[in-house]
Amino acid sequence: MTETCFQLGVAIMEVSPDFIVDVSIAIGIAIMLSIVGFLLGKGVKLLVVKASEKLGFDEWLRRFSFGRAIKRTGLSAGEFFGMVTAWILYIVFILLGIHYGSRYLGLAEIASMTQHLLNIYVVGLVKALIIIITGFILTDVFVSYVYKSSELRTEMQLLAPVAEYLRLLFYIVIVIFAIEQAGISVEALTNMLTPIIWGLTVAMLLIIVFNIIQLTRGKPRLEE
């Protein structure tokens, strides 16, 4: 134990002043980029919130299920997207700080790892969010069109389970596609969701058959 401590002390004493300076500069680069990312994230978040309020984005998004889900969290749409954007910027600049600090010190493995994280996972996360948000909104528009395609109550009883089934099915497909685009394997998730989708399909068909029987008998559909 004493010999190990002695060797460690000798190694520390042998560290050159140039190495200490290089490490200090690398840490400074990482800290500086992290601070820039923090300030930029705060600024972008504030800008997104203000722009959302001015453009009426909250009211527009609230027309869709995705917007109403955000509202239930206690956040406005502007606050939600501003927060997401800010955190993405925080992560990006922290990784950039580690990347350039590592490159300055010649730590190729760490620099390569952070570059991989930026190119694959961070960019993939952004792509996944864009796909999910856009896909959910388009799905809600489509389902709303299905509901509006009939004004008769009898037809609505048959269309409602189909519309909600399609909504849920599209949501699942969109999420799986988004995760795949983020660079994450979805094979296990797909295998797990397959029996669930089949179960939902059977349930939807049973509901439709039940509604047809009720309509044929001239009885009102049972309300849950």
Side-chain angles (χ1 to χ4, degrees):
M1 180 68 179
T2 304
E3 183 179 354
T4 303
C5 293
F6 176 75
Q7 292 176 350
L8 180 61
V10 172
I12 293 173
M13 291 177 63
E14 290 178 350
V15 173
S16 65
D18 291 340
F19 178 75
I20 296 176
V21 172
D22 289 342
V23 171
S24 300
I25 293 174
I27 294 174
I29 291 172
I31 293 175
M32 182 184 68
L33 285 173
S34 298
I35 292 173
V36 170
F38 178 78
L39 295 176
L40 184 61
K42 289 291 186 182
V44 170
K45 179 181 178 181
L46 182 61
L47 182 63
V48 170
V49 172
K50 293 296 183 181
S52 176
E53 293 175 353
K54 293 290 184 181
L55 298 175
F57 182 66
D58 291 348
E59 290 75 14
W60 177 79
L61 193 63
R62 211 173 298 161
R63 296 162 50 192
F64 308 104
S65 298
F66 183 77
R68 291 191 291 271
I70 293 176
K71 187 65 177 178
R72 284 193 290 270
T73 65
L75 299 173
S76 66
E79 291 171 340
F80 173 79
F81 286 108
M83 181 179 65
V84 171
T85 305
W87 273 102
I88 290 174
L89 288 172
Y90 298 158
I91 295 171
V92 167
F93 276 86
I94 288 172
L95 290 175
L96 283 175
I98 297 173
H99 174 75
Y100 285 109
S102 302
R103 283 185 59 181
Y104 185 83
L105 292 175
L107 302 175
E109 291 185 1
I110 297 178
S112 176
M113 181 186 68
T114 52
Q115 184 71 41
H116 178 75
L117 289 173
L118 281 169
N119 292 340
I120 303 299
Y121 293 105
V122 176
V123 174
L125 174 63
V126 173
K127 289 194 296 184
L129 287 174
I130 293 173
I131 291 171
I132 289 174
I133 293 169
T134 305
F136 279 18
I137 291 175
L138 291 177
T139 298
D140 287 347
V141 171
F142 172 75
V143 172
S144 298
Y145 175 78
V146 172
Y147 276 116
K148 292 177 181 178
S149 64
S150 176
E151 297 180 355
L152 298 177
R153 184 174 181 275
T154 54
E155 293 182 0
M156 186 64 68
Q157 290 180 359
L158 298 177
L159 283 175
V162 176
E164 294 306 319
Y165 168 78
L166 290 175
R167 187 201 302 271
L168 187 56
L169 184 63
F170 285 153
Y171 281 174
I172 293 173
V173 172
I174 290 166
V175 170
I176 292 176
F177 178 71
I179 294 174
E180 187 177 22
Q181 294 304 305
I184 301 173
S185 175
V186 295
E187 183 178 356
L189 180 62
T190 303
N191 293 335
M192 181 183 68
L193 289 176
T194 298
I196 297 176
I197 293 174
W198 277 110
L200 291 172
T201 303
V202 172
M204 186 269 297
L205 292 174
L206 290 175
I207 292 173
I208 291 176
V209 171
F210 175 77
N211 286 338
I212 292 175
I213 294 173
Q214 291 296 96
L215 291 173
T216 302
R217 292 178 178 178
K219 296 180 180 180
R221 184 167 62 91
L222 295 178
E223 298 291 337
E224 293 184 357

